[in-house]
Amino acid sequence: MAEGKTAIITGITGQDGSYLAELLLAKGYNVFGLVRRTSQPTQGRNLINHLMENECFHLVNGDLTDQSSIDNAVKEIQPDEFYNLGAQSFVPESWRSPTMTADVTGLGALRCLEAIKLVKPDCKFYQAGSSEQFGDVREIPQTELTPFYPRSPYGCAKVFAYDITRNYRESYGLFACTGILFNHESPRRGLEFVTRKVTMTVARIAEGLDEFLSIGNVKAKRDWGFAGDYVEMQWRMLQQDEPEDFVIATGETNSVQDMIGLAFKRVGMTLTWTGEGVDTIASDQDGITRVKTNPKFFRPAEVDLLIGDCSLAAEKLGWTPTTSFEQLVNIMVDSDVKVVKEALSNGQLPPVPPA
Ligand code: NAP
Ligand code: F7E
């Protein structure tokens, strides 16, 4: 064990969990990651394999749907800080599995707060909030004061988690806060999310494995940033003197169509778009259709436009995004081209985004 602080991270096997663990270890923390038991030992998407030899990095079994496992982890570890990043985080899945999403993503936060309240009330708590809480946005851009209007069971679960975090802060004096984070991406993003689905498919097309990208609503607009920057803000929120909720965003919005155009541009293809709605397609400079719309990727209720106002975080946390939107897309495309090439040269099948 290092002499520094001790932190628990739920969602350690996910995109943010892996970046946050790296950050805290570099700051001298002892990091305990909560992992779900599976029938076969696994480190999930292999994002934390490189940390397993670090003597300050530990995994502990637990599940956000199981109060005892969270209580036991807090009792045994006695953390100074607790980052609740675990969630069923894929929005379309939240319509297919709404009660599971409410249980993990909503009640999971309450279970963490209960454990802290009863066992270690001086432990600081970070809740991973989401711009999906704004949903059908009530104002543009969205700030910490913008009312919520979630559009999915996932968004509703995150609103509950936000409310209960504030309530435990006000009721019990816990240092508990929510970061309302807008979309953040990286080469570690799950393959089902739109940016990574696009960059992996573009890489496969560039290597001649696929012919076109099958996509949903390309008109939706998001405020996309780089995940590595965002976990630094999670940590900074817990270093404040007083707990406070913050919006973390870039302040720039782009459409899914813009994102796809940049990704194809990175591999030397220029797209021309035609059609509207489910008839939207895009062809490359040689007239080959490279993007087709599939209605199955449309959602029962869409979040059309997100753009955050991060002035409060800029003022109090010193927040400035380091990576532009185009840089982010280029980083992700280059990484996926490398992944595909390496797999092919090793005689392996490259990853395929879920259909
Ligand atoms: P992610 O890659 O989907 O990771 C989710 C993590 O939650 C995984 O480690 C997963 O473990 C874990 N998990 C799922 N169900 C669990 C359960 N029942 N008990 C314990 N752990 C469970 O998500 P992310 O992109 O890193 O996002 C981190 C957090 O920020 C999430 O809460 C997400 O909702 C929120 N958020 C993300 C964004 C974004 O743009 N990335 C924006 C705003 C908010 P397995 O490996 O076992 O599945
Ligand atoms: O979709 C559209 C889709 O799944 C973005 C999660 O991390 O960020 C994420 O939620 C947009 C939507 O992310 C496809 O309709 C079009 O408008 O990448 P996404 P999300 O739903 O914004 C928030 C902040 C979170 O908190 C969540 O946990 O892209 N879209 N065609 C598509 N989306 C997907 N996934 N696949 C498509 O084929």
Side-chain angles (χ1 to χ4, degrees), residues 89-91 130-132 154 181 183 189 192-194 197 215-217 220 222 256 297 299 302:
S89 76
F90 189 43
V91 172
S130 167
S131 51
E132 286 292 299
Y154 168 82
L181 270 52
N183 299 54
R189 189 55 142 149
E192 66 273 41
F193 298 93
V194 78
K197 172 178 171 175
I215 201 77
N217 173 21
R222 290 290 183 276
V256 173
F297 294 117
R299 299 175 180 188
E302 180 60 282

Side-chain angles (χ1 to χ4, degrees), residues 11-17 34 36 44-45 62-65 85-89 104 128-130 154 158 181-185 189 193:
I12 192 78
T13 53
Q15 171 186 257
D16 288 15
L34 192 88
R36 294 191 276 177
R45 309 205 303 269
D63 195 302
L64 283 165
T65 59
L85 310 187
Q88 189 305 95
S89 76
V104 178
S130 167
Y154 168 82
K158 284 290 185 190
L181 270 52
F182 284 60
N183 299 54
H184 44 283
E185 317 293 315
R189 189 55 142 149
F193 298 93

Side-chain angles (χ1 to χ4, degrees), residues 131 134 137-147 182 223 247 249-253 305-311:
S131 51
F134 295 121
V137 298
R138 305 285 100 178
E139 64 177 339
I140 299 171
Q142 296 85 50
T143 74
E144 292 79 4
L145 300 177
T146 303
F182 284 60
D223 180 328
V247 159
T250 68
E252 180 186 325
T253 194
L305 166 71
L306 291 172
I307 179 166
D309 175 345
C310 52
S311 313

Side-chain angles (χ1 to χ4, degrees), residues 164-178:
I164 202 69
T165 300
R166 190 198 54 222
N167 180 257
Y168 269 50
R169 177 168 79 223
E170 294 172 356
S171 303
Y172 304 113
L174 299 187
F175 191 115
C177 58
T178 297

